[in-house]
Amino acid sequence: MKLLSVTDLRVFYQKVEALKGISFDVSKGSIITLLGSNGAGKSTVLRAVSGLIRPSSGEIRFKGERVDCRSPDSIVRMGISQVPEARRIFPDMTVSENLGLGAYLRRDKVQIKRDFEWVFQHFPALKERQRQAAGSMSGGEQQMLAIGRALLSGPELLLLDEPSLGLSPLMSMEIAKIIITINQGGVTVVLVEQNARLALKHAQYGYVLENGKIVLSAVAEALMEDEGVKKAYLGG
């Protein structure tokens, strides 16, 4: 079942065309990854889906309903949440306050409480640091906080932009395990990740972007074995 469908999406930054008519689908319950070098258009795709930038043309449909003309808060209400690159937490607010912002648009207090408990169960470091200023935590802990905050919105689709950026290999593996757990809990994931090997290891399907276009798409295992992908993104 298609959860997200992107059709002929074009995005301009002033006169520069960042996305040049890309199309792809995301099946419910899957993890898909977008690969490409810096400036290929990966983050632009996520920003367009979450309503942070308005496409010049094309369609974005979520559960069959168009979202490309909706506001970001409306898109969050529909069930799409994004963890931005560089985390974008509020450093002077406590961990608990940052998490609470994720549930700002919700009114289902009983389920919100359960979701807080779920987050604390899977991110015990956040439970221990509830009253601590978010900016005083390590990079890995801040990434967990950013993911936890997004989950508090109750998403069906989670957009992750470079979750391992700036983290140690060990912490990157920990974040990957968390993404798998989230997906197994019923949340569909679109993953933009600089560590292509890590992304393809856990995704079911991948799309390779170059200069705003999708130049290759296949199941993750096939991309891992593709000679062009190996040379460009896997270091061999």
Side-chain angles (χ1 to χ4, degrees), residues 17-229:
E17 191 173 20
L19 296 179
K20 303 173 182 178
I22 71 168
S23 301
F24 66 93
D25 296 318
V26 180
S27 299
K28 184 177 176 63
S30 67
I31 299 177
I32 73 112
T33 186
L34 305 179
L35 304 177
S37 59
N38 290 338
K42 309 183 301 298
S43 294
T44 300
V45 173
L46 300 192
R47 293 189 190 111
V49 172
S50 58
L52 297 176
I53 55 175
R54 188 62 58 86
S56 306
S57 62
E59 289 188 357
I60 303 172
R61 291 185 178 271
F62 179 64
K63 298 191 292 188
E65 189 171 344
R66 283 192 70 171
V67 300
D68 48 271
C69 296
R70 290 179 174 267
S71 63
D73 60 302
S74 173
I75 291 172
V76 171
R77 285 191 180 95
M78 291 180 71
I80 300 175
S81 190
Q82 180 174 350
V83 179
E85 184 181 350
R87 301 178 279 276
R88 305 293 178 88
I89 62 167
F90 294 90
D92 296 328
M93 297 174 66
T94 66
V95 168
S96 183
E97 289 169 339
N98 269 272
L99 289 173
L101 289 174
Y104 180 76
L105 297 175
R106 297 174 60 182
R107 298 293 179 265
D108 49 336
K109 294 183 178 179
V110 174
Q111 187 59 48
I112 290 173
K113 183 178 180 181
R114 289 175 184 157
D115 288 346
F116 260 96
E117 292 171 353
W118 190 95
V119 168
F120 286 145
Q121 177 186 347
H122 290 85
F123 302 94
L126 300 184
K127 185 174 184 179
E128 296 169 3
R129 294 165 172 75
Q130 292 181 62
R131 295 182 178 86
Q132 184 173 329
S136 66
M137 297 195 301
S138 70
E141 290 167 341
Q142 289 183 23
Q143 186 64 68
M144 292 178 186
L145 175 58
I147 294 173
R149 180 180 60 187
L151 292 175
L152 260 298
S153 70
E156 292 182 60
L157 175 63
L158 184 63
L159 311 175
L160 292 165
D161 196 352
E162 303 284 12
S164 77
L165 186 65
L167 302 183
S168 68
L170 187 62
M171 183 54 70
S172 295
M173 291 301 299
E174 187 63 29
I175 294 297
K177 291 177 184 177
I178 290 167
I179 294 170
I180 294 299
T181 300
I182 291 168
N183 179 247
Q184 290 173 343
V187 179
T188 303
V189 176
V190 176
L191 174 62
V192 167
E193 176 53 61
Q194 59 168 353
N195 187 335
R197 191 178 301 278
L198 185 69
L200 290 173
K201 181 179 178 181
H202 298 293
Q204 287 86 48
Y205 204 89
Y207 297 88
V208 179
L209 279 73
E210 290 182 6
N211 299 317
K213 296 180 178 180
I214 293 176
V215 296
L216 183 63
S217 63
V219 295
E221 293 88 346
L223 290 178
M224 287 277 278
E225 297 302 322
D226 183 269
E227 291 302 322
V229 172

